[in-house]
Amino acid sequence: MTRLGRFAGACLTFGCLAAVSAATLPPQPKPAATPVQKAPFGTTKEGVAVDLYTLTNHHGMVAKVMTYGATLTELHVEDASGKPVNIVLGYDRLEPYLAGTPYFGATVGRVGNRIARAEFTLDGKTYKLAANDGPNHLHGGVKGFDKVVWRAEEVKSPTGPAVKFTYRSPDGEEGYPGTLDVSVTYTLTDANELRIDYRAVADKPTPINLTNHSYFNLAGDGSGDILGHIVTIAADKMTKVDERLIPTGEIVPVKGTPWDFDTPTAIGARIKQVPGGPPVGYDHNYVLRKTDAKGLPELAARVVEPKSGRTMEVLTTEPGMQFYTGNFLDGSLKNRNGVPYTQYSAFCMETQHFPDSVHHPAFPSTILRPGSEYTSTTIYRFGHQ
Ligand code: BGC
């Protein structure tokens, strides 16, 4: 299938112009390729060495990923005038990650987002999970995939530099059944996309729901709040949640509510009208409008930062996306230059299956069975207007 054909689904969804112009007019590559660089990034408290891989594409865009948590630590993207800045929250040292961050850039699993009461029943057996969000389970538990050291290897890809991370999650880890072999491949394509491909197999039935938890600020890390970013989300429904952000099971329309981003809208335009909290803000799973793209990534969201002109499009094979506006950032963490990460310093677009799917048979299933392979792809595509 041609690239144009591949993105026709996205065009049907919304914002056709952006998808077509990126597909038909790719930026002209600069000649020299930069090899993937590997460097030591520190050692965990248990004495395990952590490495940092630097990916540079033909246009000079840079992504840094480390083996601790298979985490994206930096992403340098040019603005309309060609000036690159790092647009994700994160650090240039391992220590702040070991001290604890709210999942900055991390790979989240075995099951991202919340599982009510930190338990579920599968094939008649009840499994108790680690409770790390009050009585509930969040982002894989106390020591989720974001806090383990992954193996890494550079892989050859025709589209741009790539690094593949692998991890064997043991049977019973954080309460989950079965050994899970999981891989996450980051590719920085020469079309200025950060592409993330996930795969996994298990030897027993288990829930799985992987995502990346990057916090974006398209004006630059530490440059203030994201309330002026203009967001469009390809969804007219969301999963309703209770006061602890656990889905009630209802799928409700967003039209006419503060959650409606079907047309381009500033994040800050109605954020204070979002019910719930404190803290007030977006922390909700959108039910993405899907076309018949046969499992290919489809456009889920588009973001424009008006001052820099930077744009980001999110494409995914996943049925849902958690739009989170950094509501819980309270200034206690500071960036590498001492700038406090306060509320709304960044936003996340976590592509995923719906939260707490193990308790809602009507939601798309998160159960992986032996003999099947879990696959998921998300693309963050950058440009400028
Ligand atoms: C959740 C938030 C949580 C944040 C950091 C998001 O995916 O939906 O409620 O605070 O992750 O843990």
Side-chain angles (χ1 to χ4, degrees):
M1 181 178 284
T2 63
R3 279 194 66 193
L4 190 55
R6 208 178 315 151
F7 290 112
C11 291
L12 289 175
T13 312
F14 71 85
C16 185
L17 274 180
V20 170
S21 61
T24 53
L25 297 173
Q28 290 308 300
K30 291 170 192 162
T34 311
V36 172
Q37 316 231 305
K38 175 184 172 185
F41 200 58
T43 306
T44 65
K45 290 174 191 116
E46 296 79 31
V48 183
V50 172
D51 291 321
L52 182 75
Y53 288 77
T54 301
L55 283 56
T56 308
N57 78 0
H58 274 110
H59 309 288
M61 185 173 161
V62 174
K64 298 188 184 185
V65 283
M66 67 165 165
T67 52
Y68 184 75
T71 297
L72 177 72
T73 65
E74 294 181 29
L75 186 62
H76 296 259
V77 177
E78 291 182 352
D79 66 9
S81 71
K83 182 174 164 248
V85 300
N86 171 36
I87 55 132
V88 292
L89 307 196
Y91 297 101
D92 51 8
R93 295 180 304 123
L94 181 61
E95 286 69 26
Y97 291 100
L98 298 180
T101 79
Y103 305 89
F104 286 171
T107 297
V108 169
R110 191 178 290 201
V111 173
N113 211 282
R114 291 173 175 80
I115 294 180
R117 303 176 302 282
E119 61 157 40
F120 65 94
T121 301
L122 178 57
D123 298 340
K125 191 167 171 202
T126 297
Y127 296 91
K128 290 269 176 211
L129 301 172
N132 61 329
D133 189 45
N136 303 318
H137 178 84
L138 175 67
H139 291 333
V142 175
K143 189 172 181 186
F145 291 179
D146 59 296
K147 295 182 190 70
V148 299
V149 179
W150 297 57
R151 289 175 183 277
E153 57 174 323
E154 183 184 348
V155 286
K156 293 290 164 211
S157 159
T159 54
V163 173
K164 179 179 182 180
F165 293 97
T166 52
Y167 175 62
R168 172 165 285 188
S169 169
D171 191 355
E173 190 176 42
E174 299 296 301
Y176 287 106
T179 304
L180 185 82
D181 280 303
V182 51
S183 74
V184 180
T185 303
Y186 287 88
T187 307
L188 188 63
T189 80
D190 290 323
N192 286 348
E193 301 160 332
L194 182 69
R195 177 182 172 120
I196 310 178
D197 291 288
Y198 306 86
R199 288 180 176 273
V201 289
D203 65 358
K204 288 183 191 161
T206 178
I208 179 170
N209 189 20
L210 304 178
T211 193
N212 179 274
H213 210 303
S214 287
Y215 286 69
F216 297 98
N217 184 329
L218 299 188
D221 169 27
S223 68
D225 70 54
I226 44 74
L227 298 177
H229 286 49
I230 311 290
V231 165
T232 316
I233 300 176
D236 42 24
K237 297 189 194 83
M238 57 178 261
T239 48
K240 191 174 171 188
V241 286
D242 68 13
E243 65 288 346
R244 291 214 70 125
L245 298 171
I246 297 291
T248 63
E250 293 160 277
I251 292 181
V252 293
V254 294
K255 195 162 185 61
T257 74
W259 287 282
D260 187 357
F261 284 92
D262 213 5
T263 54
T265 306
I267 292 177
R270 300 154 311 180
I271 197 166
K272 294 294 176 198
Q273 298 164 28
V274 176
V280 169
Y282 296 101
D283 193 355
H284 298 88
N285 173 64
Y286 284 80
V287 176
L288 297 173
R289 214 163 25 226
K290 288 286 173 180
T291 64
D292 190 20
K294 305 264 185 291
L296 293 166
E298 293 184 70
L299 198 59
R302 178 174 159 82
V303 187
V304 179
E305 199 288 298
K307 291 197 195 106
S308 64
R310 280 190 193 84
T311 60
M312 179 172 88
E313 288 168 351
V314 182
L315 296 96
T316 189
T317 56
E318 288 296 313
M321 188 183 81
Q322 188 85 8
F323 178 44
Y324 171 56
T325 44
N327 316 331
F328 290 100
L329 296 173
D330 60 6
S332 53
L333 291 179
K334 296 186 174 53
N335 86 347
R336 70 195 70 186
N337 301 317
V339 179
Y341 285 136
T342 49
Q343 202 177 38
Y344 316 138
S345 291
F347 67 92
C348 304
M349 289 186 160
E350 303 153 60
T351 54
Q352 60 185 3
H353 273 51
F354 306 167
D356 200 28
S357 287
V358 285
H359 293 125
H360 298 284
F363 289 179
S365 173
T366 50
I367 304 302
L368 172 66
R369 293 187 179 273
S372 297
E373 188 182 30
Y374 167 91
T375 61
S376 174
T377 296
T378 292
I379 297 168
Y380 297 97
R381 185 198 289 154
F382 297 92
H384 42 76
Q385 55 171 7

